[in-house]
Amino acid sequence: VAAPRTREQRRADALAILGAGEADVWVATASADGDASLVPLSLGWTGERVVLVTESRSPTARNVIASGRARMAAGASRDVVMIDAELETATPLADGPADALERFATQSGWDPRPMADADAYLVLVLRPIRIQAWREANELAGRTLMRDGAWLD
Amino acid sequence: VAAPRTREQRRADALAILGAGEADVWVATASADGDASLVPLSLGWTGERVVLVTESRSPTARNVIASGRARMAAGASRDVVMIDAELETATPLADGPADALERFATQSGWDPRPMADADAYLVLVLRPIRIQAWREANELAGRTLMRDGAWLD
């Protein structure tokens, strides 16, 4: 097993995972009555915000709008970046934030804007509150890289 | 993009993913007040049940005991097996079901039984109710392989 990485190294690695082309993210949300949803979605990362595009009628969209939050995982199960985030904006695709959508399309390789049924989709912009990263059990200590929306030194 | 697989092929591929050595699974659960939890855990697959081992005080353990259910993802985001399951048993590690624990230890490469703090852990046995598998968007149709606990023909 490799030695645990420094916080600085983990942050650099986490940003590389979040910014990678065609990255996916596991998105977990909960309904008001305690039902968990989990789906893989294409990831857009602006450097500060997570950008997702999903159908308005999906459980993810419904839950994140109702609860205002989501828990996400990027990377692999043994090289993970966990993100607890709060919803900043949920906008119909046609009115979506241009910079965020441009970044999403470039990074994911999927531009949803020209879709025939684009009006069935929402753009979700989420603000990370807590970010954690670890590989193996020896990295569970020190896994928190961001707390209350601020990167730790 | 490859042609969509047959249901028969998807089922064989899904069983291979679930039975693979050192496989991990993403486990999403919800608290009663609508907070989503998501963690990667080592996977045990008996052929019919999912076996997990986690700390009794973890959100996953608390939520799955309270709600009786979990949603899990195995495989990769573009070769995924999604499992909606209900909790069958939650047992302290020392009293855990021997066959399930033996399978878990063999498959995962991690035998939790000799741990010094074994009494802090629970064995969760979950019964799949619905299993879905897809790779790309062209496999979303026909993704359901098991419904109401029964494999579809």
Side-chain angles (χ1 to χ4, degrees):
Chain A
V1 178
R5 295 167 293 167
T6 63
R7 181 181 287 156
E8 187 180 12
Q9 185 63 49
R10 293 195 207 200
R11 178 171 163 179
D13 293 344
L15 290 171
I17 286 172
L18 294 174
E22 298 189 32
D24 293 325
V25 65
W26 296 100
V27 183
T29 54
S31 68
D33 58 348
D35 222 354
S37 168
L38 176 64
V39 288
L41 292 177
S42 290
L43 169 66
W45 172 248
T46 70
E48 297 186 330
R49 297 290 185 271
V50 170
V51 186
L52 305 175
V53 176
T54 187
E55 287 181 85
S56 317
R57 63 194 179 91
S58 66
T60 298
R62 287 200 313 267
N63 291 345
V64 79
I65 288 170
S67 72
R69 57 195 195 276
R71 181 164 163 89
M72 293 171 278
S77 57
R78 298 183 191 204
D79 186 12
V80 73
V81 180
M82 302 294 316
I83 306 172
D84 291 288
E86 61 178 30
L87 181 65
E88 194 167 79
T89 59
T91 321
L93 187 53
D95 307 318
D99 289 356
L101 263 172
E102 186 62 34
R103 174 62 196 160
F104 177 88
T106 303
Q107 181 178 351
S108 72
W110 171 49
D111 189 345
R113 291 168 292 190
M115 283 195 301
D117 59 343
D119 59 357
Y121 285 77
L122 287 179
V123 182
L124 307 174
V125 176
L126 297 124
R127 187 171 80 91
I129 301 302
R130 187 176 64 168
I131 295 180
Q132 301 179 313
W134 70 89
R135 287 181 177 162
E136 300 286 346
N138 68 348
E139 284 199 355
L140 288 175
R143 65 186 178 276
T144 301
L145 307 181
M146 173 187 283
R147 184 179 294 143
D148 298 332
W151 292 100
L152 303 182
D153 286 330
Chain B
V1 178
R5 293 168 293 167
T6 63
R7 181 182 286 157
E8 187 178 14
Q9 185 63 50
R10 294 194 205 201
R11 179 171 163 178
D13 292 345
L15 290 171
I17 286 172
L18 294 174
E22 298 189 31
D24 293 326
V25 66
W26 295 101
V27 183
T29 55
S31 68
D33 58 350
D35 222 354
S37 168
L38 176 64
V39 288
L41 293 177
S42 291
L43 169 64
W45 173 247
T46 69
E48 297 186 330
R49 296 291 185 271
V50 171
V51 185
L52 306 175
V53 176
T54 187
E55 287 181 85
S56 317
R57 61 193 180 91
S58 66
T60 298
R62 286 200 312 268
N63 291 346
V64 79
I65 288 170
S67 72
R69 57 196 195 275
R71 180 163 164 89
M72 294 171 279
S77 57
R78 297 182 193 206
D79 186 12
V80 72
V81 180
M82 302 293 317
I83 307 172
D84 291 289
E86 61 178 30
L87 181 65
E88 195 167 77
T89 58
T91 321
L93 186 53
D95 307 317
D99 288 357
L101 263 173
E102 187 62 35
R103 174 63 195 160
F104 177 88
T106 302
Q107 182 178 351
S108 72
W110 172 50
D111 189 345
R113 290 169 290 190
M115 285 195 301
D117 59 343
D119 57 359
Y121 285 77
L122 286 179
V123 182
L124 307 174
V125 176
L126 296 123
R127 187 171 79 91
I129 301 301
R130 186 175 65 167
I131 295 179
Q132 301 179 313
W134 69 90
R135 287 183 177 159
E136 300 287 344
N138 69 347
E139 285 199 355
L140 288 176
R143 65 186 178 277
T144 301
L145 308 181
M146 174 187 284
R147 184 179 292 144
D148 298 332
W151 292 101
L152 302 182
D153 286 331

